Amino acid sequence: MNPEASRVWRGPHWLLAALLAGLGMLGPFSIDTYLPAFTGIAQSLGATPLEMQQTLSAYLLGFALMNLFHGALADSFGRRPVVLAGLAVFTLASLGCALAQHIGQLVLFRALQGMSAGAGMVVSRAIIRDLFRPDQAQKVMSQVTIYFGVAPAVAPIVGGWLFVHLGWHAIFWFLVGVGVVLWLTMWRMLPESLHPSQQQPFHARPLLQGYWQMASSPVFLALAFASGVPFNGMFLYVLSAPVFLGEVLHLGPTEFFWFFLSTIGGIMAGAWWSGRLAGQITRARQIRRGFRIMVAVSLLNVVLSLTLTPHPLWALPMIALFAFGWALMVPVVTLLVLDQVPERRGMASSLQACIGSVANAFVAGVVAPLVMHSPQALALTSTGLMAIGLLAWAWVRPRVEAA
């Protein structure tokens, strides 16, 4: 924690949470806005469904790759320069997407978007832990998740409207505008939270040693799996949205917002409850509550998928309740990950985000195309992904409590 934290940020906690949420929302916002236009983009560029899926995979792989470096750079050069550089590159990449004339160009600039969009998310976690002690950090992390949830809920509405009325290029012009506004806002308001005494040398050997320390720690990896893999139980439906919502649930492009609204509502409600519980119950108990909700909802979703005809009235609430359970426990697990390596929280955030992003990319490129046409396969796969995180937490819990 920055020893001068009280002087670095003098404003209300909610305002800092809103700023950091603005950074964290770039990743999902970049996905959710263009999903309603998936079919239209394919027709416009003469792309196959597999090629369109590669625009997601390229984004997520770029996101995962650079997440390894955002935190290390922020540990060495400061939080603020890395955030501003990431926003600048994201804005230029969005411009490239808007001007793309064939699918290869779109895949390339989507990868560049992914490589830059993660800077804000990774660094924002480190900023929170720079400035706040554990109980306060959990509350601020929960506030960030609440504010963060507003943008993805609005994104598909904006994306669907832009696609229907102005064409798919307008979606990426809109993201250019988002990038410009965020850069100007952060340049003016975001403080530097890394104390000079806590800066780390940016040399290959210390970096490799730091990565090896974390990557070879079973406790660190298990915590990263416990937070990142269950997310894919929900994210699988986001990745499958063009098919699941359009072909299975028979929703139009302008109706996609019902899915995102309910899912993000679940995330916001879970994050709000997580903040309310900060300091009132043990971390382990709160995490256990989140997993219990996810287990119950996952099993019910499987039963309903196997016995009922797919319908938005029951399918969408299942995903929202799963999101609620995930958001209840993930702020706590994230702080546990960062506190495993307190002298390199930026790097820890990077590696955690990289592990989650690799899982996201694998689900997007391999798993989702195999199961997206079947509500039964989606429900079973979502349950399996949640179970991986549950097993990781079951193994690591006694080791964390004993530390």
Side-chain angles (χ1 to χ4, degrees), residues 10-149:
R10 297 180 183 273
H13 292 179
W14 66 264
L15 180 57
L16 180 62
L19 288 175
L20 299 181
L23 296 174
M25 68 87 177
L26 267 190
F29 209 83
S30 302
I31 295 174
D32 296 347
T33 46
Y34 96 125
L35 285 179
F38 231 56
T39 303
I41 296 174
Q43 293 173 350
S44 174
L45 298 181
T48 66
L50 179 60
E51 288 174 327
M52 283 304 301
Q53 198 68 26
Q54 288 173 352
T55 65
L56 270 176
S57 298
Y59 176 92
L60 293 169
L61 285 172
F63 194 86
L65 175 65
M66 277 307 297
N67 275 348
L68 276 175
F69 302 100
H70 293 315
L73 290 168
D75 284 340
S76 298
F77 301 109
R79 315 305 192 198
R80 182 179 159 89
V82 174
V83 167
L84 293 177
L87 288 173
V89 174
F90 174 86
T91 303
L92 293 175
S94 299
L95 179 62
C97 291
L99 299 175
Q101 298 298 312
H102 58 77
I103 191 64
Q105 291 178 342
L106 185 59
V107 170
L108 173 64
F109 286 111
R110 285 289 291 168
L112 190 58
Q113 267 191 328
M115 293 175 71
S116 55
M121 182 192 72
V122 169
V123 178
S124 64
R125 294 173 180 173
I127 291 173
I128 291 173
R129 203 58 188 90
D130 286 342
L131 299 179
F132 302 103
R133 61 180 185 270
D135 286 352
Q136 289 179 319
Q138 183 181 333
K139 291 179 180 179
V140 175
M141 190 81 74
S142 298
Q143 288 178 338
V144 167
T145 306
I146 292 172
Y147 293 129
F148 154 88

Side-chain angles (χ1 to χ4, degrees), residues 169-184:
H169 293 279
I171 294 173
F172 293 105
W173 282 111
F174 174 74
L175 291 177
V176 171
V178 170
V180 170
V181 170
L182 279 176
W183 192 94
L184 291 173

